Amino acid sequence: MDFDEVLKEVGSFGLYQKVIICSVLLPAALPCAFHAYSQLFIAATPKHWCRVPELEPWTQDYEQLVKNLSIPRNRHGAYAECSMYARNYSDIVRYLEYRPPFDLIRQEAEDLLKLQPESARIVPCQHGWHYDKSIYSSTVVQEWNLVCDRSYLVTLALVIFGVGGLLGNYVFGYLVDMWGRRPSFYAYLLLEIAACAASAFAWNFSVWLALRFVVGLTVPAILASPYVLAIELVGPDRRVFCTIVSNIAYSLGLVVLAGVIYIVRDWRELSLAVSMPLLMLFSCFFLLPESPRWLMAVGQTKRATKILKVMARVNGVRITKDFVERLQHRLVTTKAAETSATTHYGILDLFRGTNMRRKTLIITLIWFANTSVYVGLSYYAPALGGDEIWNFFLAGAVELPTYLLLWPGLSYFGRRWILFISMLVGGVACVATFLFPKITLLLYCVGKMGISSSFVVLPLLASELYPTVVRGLGMSFSSVVAMIGPIVIPIINHMGQQMLALPLIVMGALLIVGGFASLLLPETRNRNLPQTLEEGEAVPLSILLCCCVESANKKSRPGNRPRVIPEAAAAAVYHRVESRSSGPASCKVVCSICKKEMRTL
């Protein structure tokens, strides 16, 4: 059954869809933006230096003096963060007690250093650390001293967060297709808010890490459910609109998060600030409908019809009395829709057909590259130097101009070429930072714009290629595999502390490979969504244009004449036809040009 034709009768993009998208689905992007990146600042590592108990009384008023007395400098002239001088600080203290403040400031410990041996021994910090609180009043790192030989725990926390996202996506893929779009979204939202708020009261690092794992379970899935629901409520010509505004909302969420962090600098208060306000989304619980497209796909005709009637009434469309009968008749005449209510789909269904298997693998590869690079560049923003909060704000704000170009581009040029160009430009910009280190910030912004563009196009293209009965499962499978990237990327960024360009080179190479892989996928602009696995299998890869291409080429093979692809082949459409034989019912995929049978399903 072609649900897009049904949707036209009740209004494919009327007042009903606009109210749902603007009042519910756009604010639903905030939880993902808030919780995905607030950990960068909750566990931020401020400047720090070794604490010397004997010099503690002078630390607040004469910080420079204390550093000169106790902290060595590295080869760049900066104070060491994990080592100190092994001096007789008791003698130094006795000298300091009889010096007036003006002399202490003027001398800056020069006379005192002469009293000590020139080759003072350097040892690791013995009594903890002092932290620079000019940016953050308190972070997880300060509270539990996650610096120096324990600094790997900050990276481990991001890795655990990524593992949670991987597992959460796996479970979410089943829930969204089994429970529906609305119940699964609110279940994950409640879990996310509760876990993030509870982490504000963690009493040790292990408890906090466990709660962040729970938050990680929900973050990727939170954004997927409203997005899938949005594109299933509108017609094919409005999917670009839903994709663009969804990503605009997400980018605005990053900008708003930067503002929240600018105001709230304590990690416990920040955990509450990014979680508790999201409870307001539950006020829309009864306003947000279930996807009628999903309801029809699983055979719940009555619920779908009720929602469609409300949609028609709000959109100002009068439906005839026989609308319900015609809707049910369409459902009955489609055998796949008849049996879908009792059929449970799994991951293996994505790989049973040749075309579906190829598309699933290619989409997953591109999704892995996009997720890895997008998360990696967002994590990389504080390493650019300068104000970390400003860098993060810039990383979110730079995404917004790209959507102004994508909006008409996706409508006129399609999905595939936009995806390829975006990934290629972003990848080249990231790799170029190795050759032009003086303009790293500029190239970073170009790379962020490229990956932001491709991240807009990819979910749209994937949702239009996966059939309705496995759309949530397919997108979840691809994003689950892609979540391996956020697990590995923090480790690569950590390794790049000695070579800042290394993470950008790795991420750029990933984007370039994924960009060329996107050329294999078919174009989906202005085409109806496939409902069943058979309809999804009937859409070939772009390099497998049509079965009649091969036969046409064979006819022109004699001699050395060049192989020409007929123009009609580029517009080939594959249809499902039912076999009328007396044997078991079967479904054949037939080319609309040469009428050749491609496959029996």
Side-chain angles (χ1 to χ4, degrees):
M1 180 190 65
D2 192 348
F3 183 83
D4 291 309
E5 297 299 324
V6 176
L7 200 59
K8 290 179 181 178
E9 297 188 34
V10 298
S12 60
F13 191 70
L15 179 61
Y16 182 89
Q17 286 92 337
K18 294 175 183 177
V19 170
I20 295 299
I21 292 173
C22 295
S23 63
V24 182
L25 299 182
L26 293 188
L30 293 178
C32 185
F34 278 16
H35 292 119
Y37 300 106
S38 60
Q39 184 169 322
L40 294 177
F41 303 93
I42 291 174
T45 303
K47 294 181 179 179
H48 51 279
W49 62 94
C50 296
R51 175 179 173 269
V52 179
E54 293 85 351
L55 301 178
E56 197 72 18
W58 287 270
T59 300
Q60 183 174 357
D61 296 326
Y62 308 103
E63 180 181 301
Q64 190 69 28
L65 171 65
V66 171
K67 287 183 177 179
N68 287 340
L69 287 170
S70 59
I71 308 300
R73 293 177 182 266
N74 58 27
R75 60 181 181 179
H76 301 293
Y79 289 106
E81 295 183 329
C82 300
S83 58
M84 57 180 284
Y85 287 123
R87 301 185 186 277
N88 188 346
Y89 292 103
S90 298
D91 290 343
I92 295 177
V93 168
R94 283 194 293 269
Y95 179 83
L96 293 176
E97 288 176 345
Y98 296 99
R99 305 298 293 175
F102 178 78
D103 289 346
L104 294 177
I105 297 175
R106 179 176 57 85
Q107 294 177 1
E108 292 187 348
E110 291 180 3
D111 294 342
L112 297 176
L113 293 176
K114 293 178 181 179
L115 299 176
Q116 303 295 323
E118 294 183 0
S119 58
R121 189 163 55 95
I122 298 177
V123 296
C125 297
Q126 304 294 312
H127 307 285
W129 293 265
H130 283 294
Y131 295 95
D132 181 8
K133 297 187 178 182
S134 61
I135 301 178
Y136 308 104
S137 60
S138 176
T139 69
V140 167
V141 172
Q142 297 178 36
E143 183 138 345
W144 294 307
N145 290 325
L146 308 180
V147 293
C148 298
D149 59 339
R150 303 186 71 204
S151 62
Y152 73 93
L153 293 175
V154 178
T155 301
L156 177 64
L158 290 174
V159 172
I160 295 297
F161 187 84
V163 172
L166 190 152
L167 297 178
N169 255 333
Y170 180 79
V171 176
F172 177 77
Y174 285 98
L175 294 183
V176 73
D177 286 327
M178 184 171 60
W179 289 359
R181 283 41 169 160
R182 187 180 71 162
S184 55
F185 168 71
Y186 279 107
Y188 267 68
L189 180 62
L190 180 62
L191 180 62
E192 182 180 67
I193 294 174
C196 187
S199 68
F201 304 96
W203 56 90
N204 59 44
F205 177 73
S206 298
V207 174
W208 178 81
L209 188 62
L211 290 171
R212 292 304 301 177
F213 171 78
V214 176
V215 175
L217 286 171
T218 65
V219 167
I222 283 290
L223 187 62
S225 186
Y227 173 75
V228 171
L229 179 57
I231 66 166
E232 291 183 346
L233 283 175
V234 301
D237 57 331
R238 294 295 181 175
R239 294 178 204 145
V240 172
F241 170 81
C242 292
T243 302
I244 294 295
V245 297
S246 177
N247 282 272
I248 289 176
Y250 184 82
S251 297
L252 288 176
L254 298 178
V255 173
V256 172
L257 176 60
V260 173
I261 296 167
Y262 182 81
I263 298 172
V264 183
R265 305 295 182 96
D266 180 86
W267 76 269
R268 294 185 186 272
E269 296 175 0
L270 181 59
S271 298
L272 294 175
V274 298
S275 57
M276 301 308 294
L278 301 177
L279 289 172
M280 292 187 295
L281 290 174
F282 283 91
S283 63
C284 304
F285 180 80
F286 296 102
L287 178 63
L288 184 66
E290 184 52 86
S291 168
R293 188 188 299 269
W294 175 80
L295 292 172
M296 296 297 293
V298 298
Q300 299 187 34
T301 316
K302 292 184 179 180
R303 286 185 61 191
T305 303
K306 184 178 178 180
I307 295 175
L308 290 172
K309 285 183 177 180
V310 175
M311 188 183 300
R313 184 168 61 252
V314 175
N315 289 341
V317 177
R318 289 190 60 184
I319 57 177
T320 59
K321 295 181 180 180
D322 63 338
F323 173 74
V324 177
E325 288 76 6
R326 288 188 292 107
L327 192 62
Q328 292 178 343
H329 176 70
R330 291 185 181 185
L331 182 66
V332 170
T333 54
T334 306
K335 295 183 180 297
E338 280 186 316
T339 58
S340 62
T342 57
T343 302
H344 297 284
Y345 297 96
I347 291 179
L348 292 179
D349 291 299
L350 299 172
F351 297 90
R352 295 193 190 282
T354 302
N355 278 329
M356 280 301 302
R357 179 169 60 251
R358 290 170 176 167
K359 286 182 289 188
T360 299
L361 292 175
I362 295 173
I363 291 173
T364 302
L365 170 64
I366 301 173
W367 210 310
F368 171 80
N370 274 262
T371 303
S372 301
V373 177
Y374 186 89
V375 173
L377 289 179
S378 299
Y379 286 174
Y380 190 83
L384 292 172
D387 191 333
E388 296 179 3
I389 300 176
W390 168 252
N391 289 342
F392 185 79
F393 170 84
L394 184 64
V398 77
E399 299 179 9
L400 296 174
T402 62
Y403 305 135
L404 300 178
L405 299 176
L406 282 177
W407 201 316
L410 288 173
S411 299
Y412 290 100
F413 300 106
R415 286 68 159 132
R416 188 180 56 162
W417 281 103
I418 297 292
L419 179 61
F420 167 71
I421 294 173
S422 299
M423 296 185 72
L424 186 63
V425 171
V428 171
C430 289
V431 174
T433 57
F434 177 74
L435 301 175
F436 307 99
K438 294 184 179 180
I439 56 172
T440 296
L441 179 59
L442 175 62
L443 293 173
Y444 171 87
C445 291
V446 174
K448 195 66 161 58
M449 294 177 69
I451 187 59
S452 301
S453 301
S454 63
F455 220 95
V456 171
V457 183
L458 178 60
L460 175 63
L461 180 62
S463 64
E464 293 175 337
L465 289 175
Y466 284 124
T468 298
V469 292
V470 291
R471 182 168 296 121
L473 180 62
M475 295 183 69
S476 180
F477 170 78
S478 297
S479 58
V480 162
V481 177
M483 285 304 296
I484 297 176
I487 296 174
V488 179
I489 283 295
I491 301 175
I492 296 177
N493 282 347
H494 186 74
M495 295 169 58
Q497 291 179 350
Q498 304 300 324
M499 180 183 176
L500 292 179
L502 175 62
L504 294 176
I505 294 173
V506 173
M507 290 185 281
L510 269 177
L511 275 185
I512 294 173
V513 172
F516 281 102
S518 66
L519 294 178
L520 303 176
L521 294 174
E523 181 56 64
T524 59
R525 180 170 62 98
N526 293 333
R527 297 188 182 181
N528 293 336
L529 294 178
Q531 294 288 104
T532 63
L533 287 173
E534 292 82 1
E535 293 178 1
E537 178 67 17
V539 181
L541 296 179
S542 62
I543 58 172
L544 305 176
L545 291 176
C546 178
C547 54
C548 55
V549 174
E550 181 180 357
S551 60
N553 288 331
K554 287 182 179 179
K555 294 180 181 179
S556 60
R557 189 73 56 84
N560 294 323
R561 296 170 58 189
R563 301 174 64 183
V564 180
I565 299 177
E567 295 182 1
V573 179
Y574 294 84
H575 299 285
R576 296 182 299 109
V577 297
E578 298 177 5
S579 175
R580 299 182 179 275
S581 61
S582 58
S586 61
C587 180
K588 298 179 180 179
V589 179
V590 177
C591 177
S592 61
I593 297 177
C594 63
K595 307 303 180 184
K596 179 180 178 181
E597 178 184 338
M598 293 289 294
R599 185 183 304 278
T600 300
L601 303 172

